[in-house]
Amino acid sequence: MTATETPPVMSTRTAAVAVGLLFITNGALIGGVGGALPALRERLEVSASGLSLLLFCLAASAVISMQIGGRLADRIGARPVALCTLTLLAVGVGLLALTSSLPWAIVAMVLAGLGNGAMDVAMNSLGVEVEQARPKPIMSRFHAFWSLGNLTAAGTIVLIARIFDRTGGANVGPALGTLCTAGLISIAVCFRIVPVGRKIEHKLDGVRTAIPRLAWALGLMAFCFGLAEGTAVDWSSVHVTDVAKIDPSTGALGLVAVSGFMVIIRLLGDQAVARVGRRAVVRVGAVTAIAGYLVTVFTQPLPLLLVGWALVGLGVGLVAPQVYAVAGHVGDGRMLAIVVTFGYAAFLVGPAIIGQLVEHFGVQHAMVLPLVLSGCLVAVSGVLPRDD
């Protein structure tokens, strides 16, 4: 495998800020979709199956986009892929803000998925490149920015929905429109400061190299944490709304708890990796997520539910940055694309599966699936290096 490096065009610090901006913008736009789901359910007059259909459309288009985006990122560099797909994601969220019918909501979800899938691969590829140029880990902080974007989106949903609809109803259009506008502004800034990514040819002496076997073990881990994290992002607000029997905009506090504590732990994650290694960090995170999901399955009062989702946020927040970082360091963009595909396929398809479980068994019993997969993370974590 060979990599064609372009001359550096900015400092490592500026590059880190630029990539962080990509993460926070992506997190805000995706978080806006997740936080708006309870209100969209009312506006579109659909059941849990209807929400599952929307999430499936988001997932399917994202998985397709990841495969195309991963190859393009290696061929032309991750920068143009990230910028173009961020634009597509923002347009999808903007259309979702305007629609009041299920067919147009499906179109909006497809556009958002096409943008989000390739952008996930591209921004993580850029993040690994920045980390490789630094003496200390930084991937956890990048994912903290993503969670901060999620948190900002959830707060925006709660505040603007209450401003425009004092009853706490289904008017989330202004909030999603605000997030879309912020995303478009971010694109203009990113265009000027996002670093030029390297181009990679997966060949050695003219022969195409094989994908390292570690990719598939990391992919399994990514599927487990992807479903656990995706459930938290997309269903925490619905779970809190239905179990605690509160209005939809207040139910978005579930996502606030998840995202807020993910931000906190990811800001501390790089220091933890430097001290005890990625394997120990992942195991602690998985056990914490198990504790959180146990609370969501067996309790009903709002304060306890928020504690449960906070523990889930703390736990899953530790896992993803470490698995993606190992993939990027070991196998560069191609391997990272595979692992990201597993993770985000689960992140997006998983909540749709949860929707079917909610339909048949109820929202609390549906949380058993991410609980079990969090346990699987502990078992598979032995493939990770003890330190980095």
Side-chain angles (χ1 to χ4, degrees):
M1 178 178 60
T2 60
T4 303
E5 301 284 355
T6 53
V9 295
M10 62 181 65
S11 69
T12 303
R13 178 176 296 179
T14 302
V17 171
V19 175
L21 180 58
L22 287 175
F23 272 84
I24 196 171
T25 304
N26 181 276
L29 292 172
I30 292 300
V33 174
L37 284 177
L40 285 173
R41 179 177 58 180
E42 292 185 14
R43 179 201 283 185
L44 302 175
E45 297 180 350
V46 296
S47 64
S49 294
L51 290 183
S52 295
L53 175 60
L54 291 176
L55 292 170
F56 175 79
C57 292
L58 185 73
S61 56
V63 169
I64 294 171
S65 176
M66 286 173 192
Q67 306 313 308
I68 300 172
R71 290 178 174 86
L72 283 176
D74 280 347
R75 183 175 301 175
I76 66 176
R79 181 182 187 274
V81 176
L83 294 176
C84 290
T85 52
L86 173 55
T87 303
L88 193 59
L89 173 58
V91 170
V93 173
L95 179 59
L96 193 64
L98 299 174
T99 185
S100 58
S101 68
L102 182 60
W104 278 109
I106 290 174
V107 172
M109 285 294 206
V110 169
L111 289 175
L114 290 173
N116 184 54
M119 185 182 178
D120 283 333
V121 176
M123 69 185 186
N124 274 284
S125 295
L126 288 168
V128 169
E129 291 180 34
V130 171
E131 183 171 82
Q132 289 173 338
R134 294 169 56 92
K136 295 182 179 180
I138 195 174
M139 280 295 284
S140 188
R141 255 173 291 174
F142 285 146
H143 284 256
F145 294 145
W146 188 90
S147 299
L148 182 59
N150 248 223
L151 177 62
T152 301
T156 300
I157 294 292
V158 172
L159 293 177
I160 296 185
R162 290 197 176 276
I163 291 173
F164 283 85
D165 190 344
R166 297 289 184 179
T167 64
N171 188 6
V172 293
L176 290 177
T178 300
L179 293 172
C180 173
T181 302
L184 294 175
I185 294 172
S186 178
I187 291 167
V189 177
C190 288
F191 184 81
R192 296 183 61 87
I193 67 172
V194 169
V196 177
R198 63 187 178 186
K199 302 175 184 179
I200 301 173
E201 296 181 8
H202 300 290
K203 293 182 180 180
L204 182 63
D205 297 328
V207 179
R208 189 171 181 82
T209 57
I211 297 171
R213 292 182 179 180
L214 179 61
W216 309 111
L218 295 178
L220 176 59
M221 294 186 68
F223 182 87
C224 292
F225 75 68
L227 192 145
E229 184 176 337
T231 298
V233 171
D234 284 335
W235 281 100
S236 57
S237 54
V238 176
H239 176 274
V240 171
T241 298
D242 291 354
V243 175
K245 303 187 185 307
I246 55 180
D247 64 81
S249 59
T250 303
L253 289 173
L255 181 57
V256 172
V258 170
S259 300
F261 281 87
M262 284 178 71
V263 170
I264 292 171
I265 200 62
R266 284 176 169 173
L267 287 173
L268 301 174
D270 293 320
Q271 293 93 318
V273 169
R275 289 187 178 184
V276 300
R278 299 193 191 276
R279 183 190 298 182
V281 167
V282 167
R283 284 179 173 171
V284 170
V287 170
T288 305
I290 289 170
Y293 273 116
L294 283 171
V295 174
T296 69
V297 171
F298 292 109
T299 63
Q300 293 183 339
L302 177 61
L304 288 179
L305 291 178
L306 294 180
V307 169
W309 284 116
L311 288 172
V312 171
L314 283 172
V316 298
L318 281 170
V319 179
Q322 317 318 326
V323 175
Y324 290 156
V326 170
H329 286 297
V330 172
D332 294 309
R334 180 176 59 166
M335 184 168 167
L336 180 60
I338 291 173
V339 177
V340 170
T341 297
F342 273 97
Y344 280 86
F347 182 90
L348 297 170
V349 174
I353 297 173
I354 294 295
Q356 293 302 311
L357 294 177
V358 170
E359 190 80 5
H360 292 91
F361 303 105
V363 70
Q364 280 195 292
H365 291 157
M367 297 302 117
V368 172
L369 179 58
L371 169 63
V372 171
L373 291 180
S374 297
C376 291
L377 275 173
V378 179
V380 185
S381 62
V383 302
L384 296 175
R386 290 184 179 275
D387 46 49
D388 200 54

